[in-house]
């Protein structure tokens, strides 16, 4: 079965601390993995996707097929990073399977 | 470039009624997907339309149906509403293909009483 697991509902860190939002997936083929973010009072939007291997707003995510993980990392958290983060998986179509999300709270 | 817009923003219906939610896709996008997001959960895929044909469906009963129009606007219809249908309904448009990012609307908050 296709599934995305985000074990943490809430992650609270201080400004300047490293951040790692965990994401594990279950998929029989070769998945496409994404991170979507929702800032307060804004719509859900794409943060990054593994195929692009890019860094967006200082965030990176590496696909680890052995551990079936796609953790989101940032070395130094900023207050403006506070948001809801969703990990998502896509198979052969644009059907996205989302995790339950992790609320990142960056304290000053 | 115009973004994805959804209407209405909020809606209250009674159990057993029918509802139609509307979405206007981002200009140039030929694919529209609908998601249901219950409180405290991630969005769940309902179905996707490409060139006015259904192109994939999630685990939702047939009383959830949709339409996509030539101008890229779309509708989500839900018949015989149940209390558990209360949720945020998100529309997302994209180009076809597994790596095309989804562009989401702000959603319609449906409450069934």
């Amino acid at each position: 079965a296709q599934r995305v697991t985000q074990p943490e509902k809430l992650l609270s860190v201080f400004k300047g601390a490293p951040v790692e939002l965990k994401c594990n997936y279950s998929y029989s083929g070769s998945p496409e993995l994404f991170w979507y973010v929702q800032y307060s009072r804004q719509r859900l939007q794409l943060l990054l996707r593994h195929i692009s291997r890019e860094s967006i707003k200082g965030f990176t995510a590496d696909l680890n097929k052995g551990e079936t993980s796609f953790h989101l990392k940032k070395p130094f958290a900023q207050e403006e990073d506070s948001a809801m983060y969703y990990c998502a998986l896509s198979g052969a179509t644009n059907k996205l399977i989302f995790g339950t999300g992790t609320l990142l709270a960056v304290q000053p | 470039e115009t973004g994805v817009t959804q209407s209405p923003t909020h809606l209250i219906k009674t159990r057993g009624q029918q509802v139609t939610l509307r979405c206007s896709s981002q200009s140039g996008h030929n694919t529209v997907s609908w998601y249901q997001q219950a409180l405290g959960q991630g969005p769940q895929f309902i179905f996707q339309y490409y060139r006015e044909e259904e192109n994939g469906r999630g685990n939702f009963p047939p009383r959830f149906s949709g339409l996509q129009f030539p101008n890229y606007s779309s509708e989500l219809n839900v018949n015989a509403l149940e209390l558990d249908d209360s949720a945020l309904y998100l529309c997302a448009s994209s180009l076809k293909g597994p790596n095309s990012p989804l562009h989401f609307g702000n959603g319609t908050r449906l409450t069934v009483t």
Side-chain angles (χ1 to χ4, degrees):
Chain A
Q2 302 173 13
R3 186 167 56 245
V4 175
T5 302
Q6 293 180 253
E8 302 142 327
K9 282 194 177 295
L10 171 66
L11 182 63
S12 183
V13 301
F14 286 103
K15 177 182 172 180
V19 171
E20 182 179 51
L21 299 171
K22 291 184 167 50
C23 172
N24 288 91
Y25 66 89
S26 173
Y27 186 72
S28 57
S30 294
E32 306 295 338
L33 275 298
F34 305 81
W35 277 97
Y36 279 79
V37 61
Q38 187 166 27
Y39 300 102
S40 179
R41 287 186 286 277
Q42 293 188 27
R43 62 189 66 194
L44 195 58
Q45 59 186 284
L46 177 69
L47 178 62
L48 56 79
R49 44 186 167 170
H50 93 270
I51 195 170
S52 301
R53 302 188 66 81
E54 57 198 346
S55 173
I56 303 293
K57 299 184 178 183
F59 284 97
T60 59
D62 291 319
L63 178 60
N64 185 325
K65 292 187 177 181
E67 295 183 358
T68 60
S69 68
F70 188 57
H71 302 328
L72 183 68
K73 299 177 183 179
K74 184 170 183 176
F76 307 103
Q78 302 299 315
E79 289 180 67
E80 55 265 31
D81 296 329
S82 296
M84 193 73 177
Y85 291 81
Y86 293 95
C87 181
L89 173 156
S90 172
T93 69
N94 272 15
K95 170 187 174 180
L96 278 183
I97 298 168
F98 285 86
T100 51
T102 297
L103 179 63
L104 174 63
V106 182
Q107 311 295 332
Chain B
E1 156 180 293
T2 56
V4 178
T5 57
Q6 292 186 243
S7 62
T9 54
H10 296 84
L11 199 52
I12 300 175
K13 288 286 189 177
T14 303
R15 188 172 50 184
Q17 286 187 315
Q18 178 267 343
V19 70
T20 297
L21 310 182
R22 294 181 171 81
C23 172
S24 178
S25 296
Q26 183 159 316
S27 177
H29 285 179
N30 54 19
T31 301
V32 65
S33 304
W34 285 90
Y35 288 81
Q36 180 195 66
Q37 186 173 20
L39 203 59
Q41 301 296 315
Q44 285 199 40
F45 177 74
I46 303 175
F47 44 56
Q48 180 185 91
Y49 278 79
Y50 170 66
R51 291 187 177 177
E52 303 167 52
E53 298 280 337
E54 189 177 287
N55 183 45
R57 189 177 183 93
N59 189 27
F60 281 81
R63 59 189 185 84
F64 285 78
S65 63
L67 285 172
Q68 184 186 27
F69 302 101
N71 66 353
Y72 302 138
S73 66
S74 65
E75 290 180 353
L76 164 64
N77 298 288
V78 187
N79 293 323
L81 284 166
E82 301 177 0
L83 297 180
D84 285 348
D85 296 333
S86 296
L88 180 68
Y89 288 85
L90 297 169
C91 167
S93 72
S94 64
L95 297 171
K96 195 175 192 303
N99 293 315
S100 295
L102 299 185
H103 295 254
F104 284 88
N106 282 322
T108 294
R109 172 74 60 187
L110 173 65
T111 302
V112 182
T113 62

